[in-house]
Amino acid sequence: MSTRRHFPAIHRLLHWGLALSMLVMLLTILLRLGWMEKNHMAEMIQQGLLQLDLLISDKQAVIIAKSIRNVMFKWHLYFGYAVAVFVSLRFIYMAKCGLQYPSAFSKQASGREKFQAWVYWLFYLGIALSVSTGLLIEFGPESIEHQAETVHKLALWYFIPFISLHLAGIILAEFTHDKGLVSRIIGG
């Protein structure tokens, strides 16, 4: 039995805009935690300068490393603003056009549909938390910046399980009850 949902152009635009914006943000986070981590970069800078017979302190190397990675991390901010816009538009769209899936509280919804609804609502809660704490870090009072940063960093951990569940659900749907789902979310 296929549900054959139709995805209007605005739904697809919001879906893919949000998805791509969040993936770019995830990339900036992974770069910042890995290859572009300040101490790792500082060590590479010091090693490169040492080959030129130049010696700088650890503190100086970290300052240079931070200035290099801050250019990249500005993309995190830009795409964070994009996520804020896309998720706000998505909420407006859902309020105007309804949900594309049954409510988690619907008596007619199957267990799978209720699970799907809860996953989406937890995802949207995570996005709202990420966006609001990101905006507080950027524009809020300094007195709560540390708390906002802590919550903002923790909020990342909703995204990776969501991607995994989302992709597993897509594959399951595509090969069982909702054949053509992928082509409909891409082309309508």
Side-chain angles (χ1 to χ4, degrees), residues 11-23 79 82-83 86-87:
H11 183 96
R12 295 189 319 271
L13 175 71
L14 294 173
H15 177 272
W16 290 110
L18 185 58
L20 292 174
S21 297
M22 292 189 70
L23 288 174
F79 280 89
V83 166
F86 280 119
V87 81

Side-chain angles (χ1 to χ4, degrees), residues 49-67:
L49 290 174
L50 197 56
Q51 291 176 356
L52 301 171
D53 293 325
L54 297 171
L55 187 62
I56 61 173
S57 70
D58 291 345
K59 185 177 180 179
Q60 290 169 322
V62 167
I63 290 169
I64 295 169
K66 283 182 175 181
S67 69

Side-chain angles (χ1 to χ4, degrees), residues 90-110:
R90 182 70 179 244
F91 287 151
I92 293 166
Y93 173 78
M94 287 189 303
K96 184 175 188 265
C97 300
L99 301 175
Q100 290 289 320
Y101 49 85
S103 167
F105 302 107
S106 169
K107 292 194 188 302
Q108 291 81 26
S110 68

Side-chain angles (χ1 to χ4, degrees), residues 157-175:
W157 296 107
Y158 72 87
F159 189 55
I160 294 171
F162 174 78
I163 290 174
S164 302
L165 287 170
H166 192 61
L167 292 176
I170 290 167
I171 292 167
L172 181 67
E174 187 68 39
F175 289 105

Side-chain angles (χ1 to χ4, degrees), residues 8 28 30 39 60 71 76-77 84 110 133 138 154 162 168 179:
T28 64
L30 295 175
N39 295 313
Q60 290 169 322
V71 173
H76 183 83
L77 296 175
S110 68
T133 55
E138 197 63 19
L154 289 173
F162 174 78
K179 293 182 187 326

